[in-house]
Amino acid sequence: MFLPLSALRRTAAVLLGAALLVGCTGGNGGGAADGKSRESAGASGAAPARSAASAGGGAALSLIAQGPGPQAHYTVQAQPAPGTCHYRTSRGQPLQDASCTPGTLNPDVTQATLKSTVCHTGGYTSTIRPPMSVTSVEKAANARSYGYTAGLHDAEYDHLVSLELGGDPNDARNLWVEPPPPGHTPGSGPTNPKDAVENKLH
């Protein structure tokens, strides 16, 4: 199966070095893949990335900023100005604008908290995912940011660093309207081969 470059770049950035997330079936916690939503949320400002030492991970982690983390109450967050983000492609697969969507990490996920966060057997991502009442508004605004004019039903409002791999749930820098991959059947809803990659890495 061809693995989209976007999925490899996204996950490699999180897993390189001493790797904060080493997989939930390898002795660091229980549970099967936690899954991910088709629509999530976004926010703007956040604290600088923590150091690799404090994260328990390698140098790659220090290159990714931290987001604000899970919130008790999510609100609609500002998105980049309309038309300021531009899609790229690699082998026909859509890629995000690295300036608009560089990815951010969930500060609650550290080496010490794996068992209670991303490796929690009862599921973790569903407890931190913003509601659709927030994400549907943000998705429409982000589509304008990227100049996406096709049907939103087929596009995924996607976390660049997935929630199950320690991505921030509500930071606009970690979310983008991802067009469907080549060969997608119009009207069939979001389908993306990278989801299987993320689940396997989890």
Side-chain angles (χ1 to χ4, degrees):
M1 174 176 130
F2 170 73
L3 301 181
L5 184 60
S6 57
L8 296 177
R9 283 181 176 168
R10 171 174 38 248
T11 53
V14 178
L15 299 174
L16 283 174
L20 168 64
L21 305 180
V22 295
C24 291
T25 57
N28 284 317
D34 206 6
K36 61 195 291 295
S37 71
R38 295 297 175 198
E39 292 190 349
S40 307
S44 35
R50 64 194 154 178
S51 69
S54 65
L61 288 176
S62 67
L63 301 178
I64 303 174
Q66 283 190 10
Q71 305 293 309
H73 176 71
Y74 290 105
T75 58
V76 173
Q77 300 298 305
Q79 302 296 310
T84 58
C85 304
H86 306 283
Y87 291 113
R88 302 170 292 138
T89 59
S90 177
R91 299 184 184 181
Q93 296 288 335
L95 296 176
Q96 91 291 358
D97 186 319
S99 296
C100 292
T101 318
T104 55
L105 300 177
N106 176 354
D108 289 357
V109 179
T110 67
Q111 189 67 49
T113 65
L114 288 179
K115 288 184 180 181
S116 63
T117 57
V118 295
C119 295
H120 182 62
T121 54
Y124 174 67
T125 65
S126 62
T127 68
I128 64 169
R129 185 174 293 121
M132 286 188 65
S133 59
V134 169
T135 62
S136 60
V137 176
E138 293 175 343
K139 181 178 182 179
N142 189 264
R144 293 190 292 273
S145 301
Y146 271 90
Y148 183 81
T149 57
L152 284 178
H153 175 71
D154 287 332
E156 182 175 349
Y157 191 41
D158 193 33
H159 291 92
L160 185 68
V161 181
S162 71
L163 296 183
E164 63 186 324
L165 295 179
D168 192 273
N170 193 40
D171 192 316
R173 297 171 299 171
N174 196 39
L175 286 140
W176 63 303
V177 171
E178 184 171 2
H184 178 80
T185 302
S188 63
T191 55
N192 209 310
K194 72 171 177 47
D195 293 349
V197 177
E198 293 171 350
N199 288 341
K200 180 67 174 176
L201 288 167
H202 177 264

